[in-house]
Amino acid sequence: MKKILIVNPFGIGDVLFTTPMIAALKAWRADLSISFIGNARTLPFLKNDPRLEEIFSYERDEFVAVYRRSPLAFLRQWSDFVSGLRQQGFDTAIDCSLGSPLGLALAWAGIPCRIGYDYKGRGRWLTHKVPFKGYEGRHVAQYYLDLLCHLDPAFAGASAGASFKTAIFCSQEDQAWASTFMQRHQLGAKAFVIVHPGGGASWGGSAGLKRWPAVNFAKLADKMIEKGACPIILMGDQREISLCDEVAGAMKHKPVMAAGQASITQAAALMCLARLVVANDGGPLHVAVAAGAETVSVFGPVDPDVYGPYPPQGHGIVQKGLPCQPCYRHFRMSDCNHQRCLKGLLVDDVFNKIKEMI
């Protein structure tokens, strides 16, 4: 049996973009053993994926912190990490990390075939180096799927038709949580809209650069309640409770609050029961898409053709359409002091897209 290791230490959206690759590999060979290296934020839903055998956690910041305290302790921890990989006997690794540290770990673990993108010369430890400057012109998930061509030429064109979807798996406990939440708030399936005014944690302190203003989300939520007579659930993680409180405080009507109450997989279980999920560009949007929910999303500096819902069918995207969009390219933001792409986007612009969807 061929044993493959997929490596993606990035955020929730990026890791979900690798799930079409998992589907493509399983369609290629059902008996394939697939394992995954992800970070702590993505482990909860990776562990639920029945297509994956082993899940390894890699937190770069933890390794750096250990090294600063004690280089010897770092070497022991790094050796344990590599030994854990070596014991699995992987014959192929598909490295989406775009960096050299994990590439080195894969080489030290004795994995003979190591496929990945050679970004800024960081792919020195790969056996199959694919030239790469940045994601542009097509979706990240398609870039990931293209890596499979170096495993077998039969995969050529696998990314073109977007036949493989992103996926997230919810446990029975997650589904029970969603059912209990709906009963507690007297909600029916496909009879409520989830609004997620945050955007996840991947951009850290710069996350606000991707957010539509909170007051606009408040006006939009009120309008959906008044025009559609549907309950609104405000959702976000622990760090977004205050943002959801800000939205609720600016609303004329009372929403149902779910901020800080759900894990990623619980949120996914609830999202797939919603009539629609409205969100900014970010991890929560991709959780909704992977869960099977229909979505309307707001995009500002980021290109939705590259980082939007995948595949795009069944999802509405709202953009201002300025000549400077997108200004996030090759993993860098341009210097922008106006943010008109988000601040200038009207409530009616988003509401009209929602009407198209439902």
Side-chain angles (χ1 to χ4, degrees):
M1 179 185 292
K2 194 176 255 313
K3 298 191 71 172
I4 291 182
L5 176 66
I6 297 174
V7 181
N8 192 322
F10 298 121
I12 291 169
D14 286 281
V15 170
L16 288 172
F17 294 157
T18 61
T19 56
M21 183 195 300
I22 298 172
L25 286 167
K26 281 295 188 180
W28 177 53
R29 281 185 57 174
D31 64 341
L32 205 63
S33 173
I34 306 174
S35 296
F36 208 105
I37 295 178
N39 67 26
R41 284 188 291 136
T42 59
L43 294 190
F45 65 82
L46 287 173
K47 289 178 178 177
N48 276 356
D49 193 327
R51 303 167 299 180
L52 298 177
E53 297 293 331
E54 297 288 339
I55 311 296
F56 299 89
S57 179
Y58 173 80
E59 287 290 332
R60 179 183 178 277
D61 290 346
E62 287 185 10
F63 277 109
V64 171
V66 171
Y67 179 80
R68 288 173 177 169
R69 290 197 304 268
S70 168
L72 184 59
F74 164 79
L75 287 174
R76 284 197 295 265
Q77 184 169 330
W78 185 254
S79 178
D80 289 344
F81 176 71
V82 172
S83 294
L85 299 179
R86 183 182 295 111
Q87 289 169 9
Q88 294 296 319
F90 296 112
D91 47 58
T92 301
I94 301 172
D95 185 4
C96 303
S97 71
L98 305 180
S100 56
L102 279 169
L104 176 59
L106 301 176
W108 281 3
I111 302 175
C113 179
R114 304 181 298 279
I115 303 166
Y117 287 110
D118 188 16
Y119 176 63
K120 294 186 175 181
R122 299 171 186 170
R124 63 180 67 92
W125 302 106
L126 301 172
T127 59
H128 296 68
K129 305 181 181 81
V130 181
F132 177 76
K133 292 184 178 179
Y135 303 115
E136 196 163 26
R138 55 201 181 93
H139 204 279
V140 175
Q142 293 176 318
Y143 276 88
Y144 290 162
L145 283 166
D146 284 349
L147 289 174
L148 300 182
C149 296
H150 300 273
L151 182 63
D152 188 330
F155 282 111
S159 67
S163 57
F164 301 106
K165 301 178 180 180
T166 58
I168 189 168
F169 295 86
C170 303
S171 67
Q172 291 183 346
E173 290 78 11
D174 297 323
Q175 294 167 6
W177 178 90
S179 178
T180 299
F181 183 92
M182 290 169 59
Q183 291 172 10
R184 185 164 68 246
H185 296 283
Q186 300 180 335
L187 300 168
K190 303 301 179 182
F192 59 91
V193 172
I194 291 176
V195 173
H196 203 303
S202 290
W203 279 36
S206 300
L209 297 175
K210 296 199 296 180
R211 289 179 186 164
W212 199 38
V215 65
N216 288 1
F217 273 111
K219 292 176 181 177
L220 177 68
D222 277 334
K223 194 161 189 174
M224 284 191 284
I225 292 172
E226 292 164 1
K227 300 291 185 180
C230 62
I232 298 294
I233 298 177
L234 289 182
M235 182 167 277
D237 63 21
Q238 288 286 339
R239 288 161 294 194
E240 294 166 335
I241 292 176
S242 60
L243 175 62
C244 290
D245 286 340
E246 182 183 353
V247 174
M251 290 177 62
K252 294 183 292 184
H253 304 281
K254 186 177 180 180
V256 176
M257 292 295 287
Q261 299 180 33
S263 68
I264 292 173
T265 48
Q266 287 171 339
L270 187 60
M271 285 173 169
C272 72
L273 297 173
R275 189 177 181 187
L276 189 72
V277 176
V278 182
N280 290 309
D281 158 39
L285 164 65
H286 301 300
V287 170
V289 174
E294 291 188 341
T295 69
V296 168
S297 52
V298 174
F299 273 75
V302 174
D303 188 349
D305 290 338
V306 179
Y307 293 98
Y310 187 86
Q313 292 79 18
H315 304 284
I317 293 170
V318 189
Q319 290 179 287
K320 186 63 179 174
L322 298 178
C324 56
Q325 286 180 273
C327 63
Y328 175 75
R329 288 178 174 170
H330 297 171
F331 313 115
R332 292 185 178 275
M333 273 286 295
S334 65
D335 293 329
C336 174
N337 57 8
H338 56 79
Q339 284 191 280
R340 289 201 305 269
C341 60
L342 289 172
K343 293 179 180 178
L345 198 62
L346 303 177
V347 171
D348 281 345
D349 295 333
V350 182
F351 184 73
N352 289 338
K353 178 61 68 173
I354 291 171
K355 286 200 298 183
E356 288 179 23
M357 296 293 296
I358 54 175

